């Protein structure tokens, strides 16, 4: 199981306690030399972290840059969390594409790729996903679950649940999910999830779960998008630390994933239903050229939407949902 890098471990110590940390004690705690601590502190400074050093008092973390650097996320993650190893890119075509390339090359379960900017960000149904440099959380996780194909769609639901849980627990933000995996806030899209997978002999070989979460985009930027969109900044009036938020989402994702793999799908489907934007409402589901219409009456543990059409309930495994009440608005 991947552990945080030395930089992540040193930063974790700097974030804890009363703020001042002797090099000697840190070296002892981490089982490395004082020289190795000093070298790691230098590498953190080179990445933009401000760390003061005073004789006899030791190191103190003064500030962190507004980036999603691996050490900043790792320092806030528990051992064994999804998200490790973590790779950071100033710019990349798409974290999902890079994750698929790395998964093909054998990258381990839990690997996370995060970018400040994507030149070819991809959404569901071949749409583009846009976000300005350094403002959004754009990341993908490689999962290698022991899972039959029938249950793979539940991974979608897990990540949108993880985003909602993290926002509620740490930011008091009450977001909702539009099946399968759009996260909505104040009736506008806050985050989207793109899950892609490959299979062999009816089992998942690997899945890539990609998340685009609007964090610090200004209202004026959101207004030029072709769909109504929301950001955490626009909703709460303050900027959010993206590295901390990513660590919180990964912690929630880990707990949900472990629970799901241990057979807790039914419970998670209930929580998913509680956070649903569409439960009990009349919806239209577009599946390619076909359109279905009915009432969203529930969600199956493997992720399907239960749609009631003319009194008959059937599971829907994929599609794009719109609310009848929103006709013409999205
Ligand atoms: C959607 O709502 O259509 C899904 C959007 C998913 C966007 C994210 S951003 C990080 C990852 N990389 C991509 O190219 N897409 C996903």
């Amino acid at each position: 199981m991947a552990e945080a890098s030395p930089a992540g471990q040193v930063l974790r110590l700097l974030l804890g306690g009363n703020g001042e940390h002797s090099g000697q004690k840190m070296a002892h705690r981490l089982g490395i030399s004082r020289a190795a601590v000093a070298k790691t502190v230098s590498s953190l400074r080179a990445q933009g972290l401000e760390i003061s050093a005073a004789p006899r008092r030791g190191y103190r973390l003064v500030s962190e840059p507004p980036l999603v650097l691996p050490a900043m996320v790792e320092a806030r993650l528990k051992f064994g969390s999804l998200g490790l190893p973590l790779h950071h890119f100033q710019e990349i075509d798409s974290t999902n594409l890079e994750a698929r390339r790395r998964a093909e090359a054998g990258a381990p379960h839990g690997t996370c790729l995060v970018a400040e900017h994507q030149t070819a960000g991809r959404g569901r149904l071949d749409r583009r996903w846009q976000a300005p440099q350094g403002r959004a959380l754009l990341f993908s996780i490689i999962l290698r679950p022991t899972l039959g194909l029938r249950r793979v769609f539940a991974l979608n639901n897990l990540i949108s649940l993880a985003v909602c849980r993290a926002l509620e627990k740490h930011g008091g933000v009450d977001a909702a999910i539009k099946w399968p995996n759009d996260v909505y806030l104040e009736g506008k899209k806050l985050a989207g999830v793109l899950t892609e997978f490959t299979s062999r002999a009816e089992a998942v070989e690997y899945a890539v779960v990609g998340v685009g979460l609007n964090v610090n985009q200004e209202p004026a930027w959101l207004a030029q998008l072709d769909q109504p969109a929301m950001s955490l900044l626009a909703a709460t009036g303050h900027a959010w630390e993206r590295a901390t938020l990513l660590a919180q989402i990964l912690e929630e994702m880990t707990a949900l994933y472990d629970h799901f793999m241990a057979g807790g799908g039914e419970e998670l489907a209930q929580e998913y239903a509680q956070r649903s934007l569409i439960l009990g409402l009349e919806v239209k589901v577009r599946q390619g050229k076909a359109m279905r219409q009915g009432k969203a009456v529930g969600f199956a543990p493997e992720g399907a939407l239960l749609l009631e059409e003319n009194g008959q309930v059937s599971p829907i495994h994929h599609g794009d949902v719109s609310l009848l009440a929103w006709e013409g608005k999205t």
Side-chain angles (χ1 to χ4, degrees):
M1 193 162 280
E3 169 57 306
S5 65
Q9 295 183 38
V10 164
L11 185 56
R12 185 182 294 159
L13 292 183
L14 290 174
L15 284 167
N18 64 2
E20 278 171 351
H21 303 266
S22 87
Q24 176 87 55
K25 280 195 185 139
M26 286 169 71
H28 183 72
R29 285 279 301 276
L30 299 177
I32 56 177
S33 67
R34 274 177 72 172
V37 170
K39 199 169 149 211
T40 306
V41 166
S42 296
S43 87
L44 287 168
R45 285 180 178 141
Q47 293 177 59
L49 285 90
E50 202 182 333
I51 300 168
S52 67
R56 283 184 302 281
R57 298 226 305 269
Y59 297 111
R60 193 167 67 84
L61 177 66
V62 179
S63 68
E64 295 172 277
L67 297 169
V68 195
L69 296 176
M72 292 166 60
V73 182
E74 290 167 5
R76 294 165 167 93
L77 275 183
K78 286 198 200 108
F79 175 73
S81 278
L82 292 173
L84 297 172
L86 190 89
H87 304 281
H88 173 255
F89 303 86
Q90 276 302 335
E91 186 169 282
I92 196 155
D93 50 357
S94 145
T95 56
N96 261 44
L97 285 176
E98 180 64 14
R100 283 169 56 181
R101 292 188 285 260
R102 290 190 181 222
E104 289 294 335
H109 173 76
T111 301
C112 181
L113 299 100
V114 57
E116 301 294 334
H117 187 238
Q118 295 184 129
T119 53
R122 299 158 62 237
R124 289 177 65 232
L125 308 171
D126 284 331
R127 295 181 185 130
R128 283 180 62 208
W129 185 263
Q130 299 180 58
Q133 172 87 31
R135 296 263 165 176
L137 258 182
L138 309 167
F139 66 97
S140 303
I141 309 170
I142 298 171
L143 300 171
R144 296 187 181 276
T146 318
L147 206 61
L149 283 186
R150 215 174 56 83
R151 293 168 74 216
V152 68
F153 293 103
L155 298 176
N156 271 328
N157 302 17
L158 294 190
I159 186 71
S160 34
L161 264 187
V163 171
C164 289
R165 274 192 183 183
L167 293 177
E168 182 181 81
K169 205 186 273 182
H170 303 283
V173 167
D174 190 16
I177 304 166
K178 179 163 86 68
W179 184 88
N181 48 28
D182 286 344
V183 179
Y184 270 67
L185 188 57
E186 298 177 11
K188 296 179 180 173
K189 186 156 164 173
L190 179 72
V193 181
L194 176 64
T195 300
E196 301 176 284
F197 63 91
T198 60
S199 61
R200 190 169 290 165
E202 289 301 299
V204 178
E205 193 180 353
Y206 67 80
V208 167
V209 181
V211 180
L213 170 60
N214 296 332
V215 184
N216 292 326
Q217 286 101 319
E218 299 287 347
W221 186 88
L222 298 168
Q224 49 86 43
L225 293 173
D226 54 11
Q227 271 194 11
M230 182 50 79
S231 73
L232 292 173
L233 169 78
T236 63
H238 64 83
W240 288 54
E241 269 182 42
R242 291 175 302 138
T244 305
L245 184 55
L246 176 55
Q248 291 161 346
I249 294 170
L250 290 171
E251 289 282 335
E252 295 300 334
M253 179 66 187
T254 306
L256 287 164
Y257 180 83
D258 290 349
H259 192 58
F260 175 72
M261 294 306 286
E266 193 73 53
E267 252 166 69
L268 297 180
Q270 277 170 28
E271 180 179 342
Y272 183 90
Q274 280 161 17
R275 295 187 188 269
S276 169
L277 191 73
I278 63 168
L279 187 68
L281 300 178
E282 284 293 318
V283 295
K284 275 188 175 169
V285 185
R286 190 155 52 84
Q287 296 182 304
K289 287 194 176 125
M291 186 69 92
R292 297 174 69 164
Q293 185 172 328
K295 187 174 171 183
V297 291
F299 304 95
E302 81 282 359
L305 162 68
L306 302 178
L307 189 72
E308 187 184 277
E309 295 156 296
N310 308 318
Q312 272 227 288
V313 177
S314 51
I316 307 274
H317 295 279
H318 64 93
D320 208 25
V321 166
S322 61
L323 282 165
L324 250 54
W326 285 2
E327 289 277 81
K329 293 190 198 161
T330 56

